[in-house]
């Protein structure tokens, strides 16, 4: 019986994943001064002792102002390394791969954690930084977000360096994969979108100018990580403004396809497709659902001869990741086979059931490896990770 694609191992550069189920990054709003807490160990530990191919920790800020809320996780200080290293060590003790998403919130920073109050600026007296929020232009996301300071060219340069420093810390902590967060309207993504970026310097205007910041970060991070380590980038494939603002310029799937090919030439191995978050007028349309857009990007990559740039050898085709409400093994398999992508990101289902990989394996009649502490109690089902 052929192995379902979902449980077929996949290799990127020198890193192999034992299946194609990837735990999506999910903010926990449970850190203190950027330091992760026992919550993260319990939450991520529970998931990654139950067999995903790769587990992402949440969007992790490269500077204090790059957090979304005062409770977001960070890696802007060497002191943060230890907490992350302990979590990574646990994942590795389970023979698991673990990834970090390096992020800057941009004009969506300094808000109150959504489970405390949705849509509210975090003021200074509760640890916020409303006067230090930055963006490509001065327009705030909405009235519940602080008005951004327009990032100067010097500021951009400093942030590229902040990504490099954060990358070095992530490597010290032992992460297997680094992802650059350029989705959901956060800083890099907001520069990409013509609906948000109103700059007139070389970081605004043309497509090439709007993607410049993202490419500078990608180049700097790629130059910092080992050649054998894959680099991921998460992108909002569409601003979802075609329906609500049809006459306005916006970031559309055609732009994502164009960017994907450029990213491959800059050494990005996986483009991780998400959507929207850039503009308050966004409206989801059926034809712009994430799996549909991921399929379009995947097809475009298959039909092009662009390869991921590697030192001294012809690289592989760029891989595509996609998320989108996957709960069961069948749904995951359908995303890979019918919508077309290479790895499936699963978010909320893992928060409901840390044993989601095991459940998906049962759905598809596959046996999985389980941590010995778990497997032996089920009559030796599976074997030790
Ligand atoms: C998210 N998502 C998200 N995405 C991201 O790139 N970085 C992040 O830190 C977060 N944080 C986050 C927190 C929470 C509570 C949720 C529910 C979502 C989006 C997430 O990675 C994923 O793309 C979506 O949840 C869609 O996948 P599911 O949940 O439908 O499988």
């Amino acid at each position: 019986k052929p192995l379902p694609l979902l449980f077929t191992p996949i290799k990127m550069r020198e890193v192999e994943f034992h299946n194609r189920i990837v735990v999506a990054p999910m903010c926990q709003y449970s850190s203190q001064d950027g330091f992760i807490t026992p919550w993260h160990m319990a939450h991520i530990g529970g998931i990654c002792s139950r067999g995903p191919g790769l587990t992402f920790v949440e969007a992790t800020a490269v500077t204090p102002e790059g957090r979304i809320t005062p409770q977001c996780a960070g890696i802007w200080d060497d002191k943060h390394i230890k907490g992350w290293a302990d979590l990574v060590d646990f994942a590795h003790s389970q023979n698991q791969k673990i990834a970090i998403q390096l992020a800057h919130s941009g004009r969506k920073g300094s808000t109150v954690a959504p489970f405390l109050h949705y849509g509210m600026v975090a003021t200074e007296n509760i640890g916020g930084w409303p006067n230090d929020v930055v963006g490509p232009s001065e327009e705030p996301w909405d009235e519940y977000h602080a008005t951004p300071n327009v990032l100067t060219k010097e500021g951009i340069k400093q942030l590229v360096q902040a990504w490099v420093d954060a990358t070095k810390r992530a490597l010290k902590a032992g992460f297997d994969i680094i992802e650059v967060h350029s989705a959901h309207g956060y800083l890099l993504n907001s520069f990409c979108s013509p609906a948000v970026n109103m700059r007139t310097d070389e970081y605004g205007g043309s497509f090439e100018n709007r993607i410049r910041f993202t490419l500078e970060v990608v180049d700097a991070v790629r130059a910092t990580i080992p050649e054998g380590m894959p680099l991921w980038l998460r992108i909002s494939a569409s601003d979802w403004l075609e329906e609500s603002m049809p006459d306005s310029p916006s970031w559309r799937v055609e732009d994502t396809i164009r960017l994907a090919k450029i990213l491959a030439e800059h050494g990005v191995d996986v483009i991780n497709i998400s959507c929207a978050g850039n503009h308050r007028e966004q409206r989801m349309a059926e034809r712009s659902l994430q799996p549909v857009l991921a399929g379009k990007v995947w097809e475009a990559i298959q039909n092009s001869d662009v390869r991921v740039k590697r030192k001294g050898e012809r690289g592989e085709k760029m891989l595509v990741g996609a998320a989108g409400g996957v709960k069961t093994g069948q749904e995951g398999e359908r995303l890979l086979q019918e919508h077309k992508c290479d790895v499936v990101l699963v978010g909320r289902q893992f928060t409901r059931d840390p044993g989601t990989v095991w459940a998906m394996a049962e759905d598809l009649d596959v046996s999985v490896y389980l941590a010995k502490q778990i497997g032996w109690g089920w009559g030796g089902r599976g074997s030790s990770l």
Side-chain angles (χ1 to χ4, degrees):
K1 182 163 74 79
L3 205 55
L5 203 48
L6 196 61
F7 286 92
T8 304
I10 186 165
K11 197 171 176 202
M12 300 164 199
R13 299 201 184 219
E14 284 163 23
V15 183
E16 190 170 76
F17 305 94
H18 54 256
N19 61 50
R20 297 174 185 222
I21 304 165
V22 177
V23 182
M26 282 181 287
C27 293
Q28 299 297 303
Y29 314 109
S30 302
S31 299
Q32 285 162 5
D33 299 323
F35 291 91
I36 59 167
T37 60
W39 170 260
H40 296 86
M41 192 60 98
H43 165 65
I44 296 288
I47 292 173
C48 74
S49 54
R50 291 168 172 83
L54 176 67
T55 300
F56 264 96
V57 301
E58 66 199 82
T60 302
V62 298
T63 66
E65 300 76 29
R67 289 173 294 172
I68 304 165
T69 75
Q71 290 77 32
C72 283
I75 192 159
W76 65 80
D77 193 310
D78 286 352
K79 293 196 186 83
H80 290 133
I81 297 172
K82 168 81 170 66
W84 289 121
D86 288 345
L87 186 58
V88 169
D89 285 350
F90 176 75
H92 288 167
S93 77
Q94 303 301 302
N95 196 21
Q96 286 288 295
K97 302 282 189 296
I98 182 162
I100 190 166
Q101 185 188 47
L102 297 180
H104 191 297
S105 57
R107 68 179 190 149
K108 293 173 93 174
S110 196
T111 59
V112 174
F115 49 57
L116 297 176
H117 193 293
Y118 197 74
M120 190 185 248
V121 175
T123 49
E124 266 153 3
N125 60 332
I126 54 164
W129 54 97
N131 300 323
D132 297 319
V133 166
V134 293
S137 311
E138 57 204 9
E139 183 76 10
W141 206 86
D142 65 11
E143 66 270 38
Y144 305 114
H145 284 79
T147 300
N149 298 295
V150 177
L151 205 51
T152 61
K153 279 198 260 179
E154 184 50 34
I156 291 174
K157 216 163 132 191
Q158 284 169 5
L159 284 177
V160 173
Q161 187 58 42
W163 251 284
V164 170
D165 296 340
T167 300
K168 288 181 183 160
R169 294 184 194 109
L171 292 176
K172 277 197 187 136
F175 282 102
D176 301 290
I177 301 284
I178 287 174
E179 178 173 82
V180 173
H181 195 353
S182 186
H184 306 157
Y186 297 118
L187 188 63
L188 296 178
N189 192 217
S190 66
F191 268 73
C192 291
S193 171
V196 183
N197 180 345
M198 303 298 162
R199 299 175 77 96
T200 52
D201 63 2
E202 62 262 45
Y203 289 93
S206 67
F207 174 85
E208 287 79 8
N209 283 356
R210 284 180 279 112
I211 65 167
R212 191 181 306 281
F213 192 5
T214 293
L215 284 187
E216 285 179 357
V217 169
V218 161
D219 286 343
V221 172
R222 182 76 262 175
T224 307
I225 64 178
E227 177 65 10
M229 189 175 187
L231 178 60
W232 291 41
L233 182 132
R234 198 163 211 201
I235 184 86
S236 283
S238 165
D239 284 343
W240 278 352
L241 293 174
E242 284 113 314
E243 311 288 314
S244 51
M245 294 170 51
D247 301 328
S248 163
S250 66
W251 184 270
R252 297 170 186 215
V253 68
E254 297 75 29
D255 299 301
T256 298
I257 289 170
R258 193 169 161 196
L259 177 63
K261 293 176 185 169
I262 297 170
L263 288 171
E265 283 164 359
H266 288 252
V268 172
D269 300 273
V270 181
I271 187 159
N272 189 359
I273 301 296
S274 195
C275 276
N278 244 330
H279 201 283
R280 59 189 172 276
E281 294 300 327
Q282 66 191 28
R283 301 281 179 277
M284 190 182 77
E286 277 300 303
R287 66 185 164 80
S288 58
L289 284 173
Q290 257 158 231
V292 177
L293 298 184
K296 286 187 180 170
V297 177
W298 189 90
E299 291 286 351
I301 291 171
Q302 300 313 306
N303 294 332
S304 91
D305 53 9
V306 173
R307 298 292 168 125
V308 177
K309 188 169 172 221
R310 296 283 304 264
K311 274 201 192 106
E313 55 181 299
R314 188 166 151 80
E316 306 293 325
K317 276 206 188 296
M318 178 186 243
L319 301 174
V320 176
V326 171
K327 294 188 182 65
T328 65
Q330 287 85 353
E331 287 168 357
E333 188 68 7
R334 201 174 313 130
L335 196 60
L336 291 170
Q337 300 264 12
E338 287 172 29
H339 286 296
K340 301 288 189 195
C341 60
D342 301 288
V343 289
V344 175
L345 280 282
V346 180
R348 288 162 299 169
Q349 184 61 20
F350 274 108
T351 62
R352 173 184 287 174
D353 176 11
T356 288
V357 175
W358 187 356
M360 287 181 167
E362 285 187 343
D363 290 342
L364 299 176
D365 199 18
V366 180
S367 59
V368 279
Y369 294 100
L370 297 167
K372 54 185 175 295
Q373 294 89 337
I374 299 166
W376 80 272
W378 291 84
R381 192 200 157 82
S383 53
S384 167
L385 282 163

